[in-house]
Amino acid sequence: MQILQDHLNELEFPKLLEEITPYAYSPRVAEKISNIQPLPQKEAEFLLKKTSEFLSSYESENYIPFDEYEDIEEPLKLMLIENFRLEASAFLRIRKITEQIGKLQSFFPKFSENFPNLEEEIKGLEFRKDIIDKISAVFNRFGEVKNEASPLLKEIRESISIAKKNIQENFNKSLNHYAQQDFLDEIRESTIEDQRVLAVKSGFKKRVLGRVLGVSKTGSITYIQPDSVVRHYHQLRESEEEQKKEVDRILRKLTSEIAEFHPRLS
């Protein structure tokens, strides 16, 4: 018997799909749910067997190590664009899916009798540990680019750390020095554009060496970045720009390397 759309409407099948769709983990899954149609008997029976096997794992101690994961369809399209750079989140999604395949392929052979159909399904997937290795060589578990992602990046970040330390030490020295001279307002310091500045009484501003970054609304306070900090601050900004460029280069290179696995990830 052929099932027509009128039959489905009479059974309120579209309404059922509408109620299920909001629970989908990703837009792609939601789209698949909304497009579900009746299947031939043999295909439907096979899917029901797989569903039964999956649900049975919740009732036993043989819990299937399956975690929900985000769709990677969009990153797969973008990675094929020449010189494109995927964002960190995309690499982490790709790594998670690849790790998922590895976990399942290690699990099912141990419980073939319990999950024969699911095991057969997972056999068709190719596990590539080198995908995990390449991504893990660049990102730590928090999704941050590692210092060790390249020798140059490690060197740049060491320069950033040194510059920040020098800024801190030199600013504190200037703060104590000018406080003793009674050149500072009661608040002593402030922050302008993420930079620590001395809150100098405007009457003494010419006696404080440094770069003027602002004045209070009343004009009674002049905000000055001490001379001893300026050089290190410029070094910090230069190193941070170099860091951005190096991270960009690393991620473009990684995108190109992972793109080689596109057919296996699709």
Side-chain angles (χ1 to χ4, degrees):
M1 174 183 173
Q2 184 180 4
I3 299 178
L4 303 176
Q5 187 61 44
D6 288 342
H7 299 144
L8 296 177
N9 292 339
E10 187 175 341
L11 293 168
E12 296 189 336
F13 188 70
K15 184 177 179 180
L16 175 64
L17 296 182
E18 286 180 9
E19 292 182 4
I20 297 173
T21 300
Y23 295 95
Y25 187 71
S26 71
R28 187 178 184 183
V29 173
E31 183 181 356
K32 285 189 174 183
I33 292 174
S34 63
N35 292 323
I36 288 177
Q37 292 292 319
L39 298 169
Q41 183 175 343
K42 285 187 178 181
E43 189 175 348
E45 287 177 352
F46 177 65
L47 290 174
L48 286 172
K49 286 178 182 179
K50 290 197 296 181
T51 301
S52 177
E53 288 177 6
F54 186 81
L55 292 176
S56 71
S57 73
Y58 288 94
E59 301 167 0
S60 68
E61 296 180 358
N62 305 323
Y63 181 74
I64 297 173
F66 180 83
D67 299 315
E68 292 180 329
Y69 55 85
E70 294 183 62
D71 183 58
I72 61 170
E73 186 175 12
E74 188 64 22
L76 289 178
K77 292 177 182 176
L78 295 173
M79 69 169 61
L80 296 179
I81 300 173
E82 186 177 0
N83 203 34
F84 189 83
R85 189 197 88 174
L86 291 177
E87 296 301 319
S89 58
F91 288 113
L92 299 183
R93 277 185 276 162
I94 292 170
R95 180 171 67 181
K96 185 174 182 179
I97 287 178
T98 307
E99 289 172 338
Q100 181 76 76
I101 294 171
K103 288 178 184 178
L104 294 175
Q105 288 186 344
S106 297
F107 172 84
F108 283 121
K110 301 174 186 176
F111 304 98
S112 298
E113 294 182 3
N114 304 76
F115 312 108
N117 294 292
L118 289 175
E119 182 187 12
E120 192 64 31
E121 184 84 1
I122 206 69
K123 280 181 180 178
L125 301 177
E126 182 180 3
F127 172 62
R128 294 300 300 261
K129 186 176 181 296
D130 37 355
I131 293 177
I132 298 172
D133 292 341
K134 286 179 181 294
I135 295 175
S136 296
V138 172
F139 293 98
N140 61 23
R141 62 193 181 95
F142 303 109
E144 302 164 335
V145 176
K146 294 179 178 179
N147 293 346
E148 296 76 16
S150 81
L152 178 57
L153 183 61
K154 186 175 183 180
E155 182 182 327
I156 292 171
R157 287 185 171 171
E158 286 173 354
S159 297
I160 289 174
S161 179
I162 291 171
K164 286 182 176 179
K165 182 180 178 182
N166 288 334
I167 289 171
Q168 185 82 354
E169 289 179 351
N170 282 283
F171 185 88
N172 289 339
K173 286 178 182 178
S174 295
L175 182 69
N176 293 330
H177 172 72
Y178 290 116
Q180 290 174 6
Q181 302 295 316
D182 198 27
F183 291 171
L184 304 182
D185 184 76
E186 289 181 0
I187 63 172
R188 290 166 57 92
E189 67 172 285
S190 186
T191 303
I192 295 179
E193 297 177 359
D194 295 326
Q195 302 173 60
R196 290 176 72 190
V197 290
L198 298 172
V200 180
K201 297 174 184 176
S202 292
F204 297 103
K205 65 181 180 181
K206 292 184 178 179
R207 301 180 65 178
V208 176
L209 298 177
R211 193 167 58 128
V212 175
L213 294 184
V215 180
S216 66
K217 290 182 179 179
T218 61
S220 62
I221 303 174
T222 300
Y223 299 110
I224 299 176
Q225 185 180 61
D227 250 359
S228 59
V229 169
V230 173
R231 177 171 60 86
H232 299 295
Y233 175 76
H234 287 316
Q235 178 60 54
L236 173 63
R237 289 293 173 259
E238 287 177 10
S239 296
E240 287 177 338
E241 283 303 313
E242 289 176 7
Q243 177 182 228
K244 287 180 183 178
K245 291 178 183 178
E246 179 61 7
V247 167
D248 182 74
R249 185 196 68 79
I250 291 169
L251 296 187
R252 288 185 193 280
K253 179 174 180 289
L254 182 60
T255 300
S256 175
E257 292 175 346
I258 299 302
E260 295 178 10
F261 300 98
H262 185 276
R264 298 174 180 85
L265 290 167
S266 300

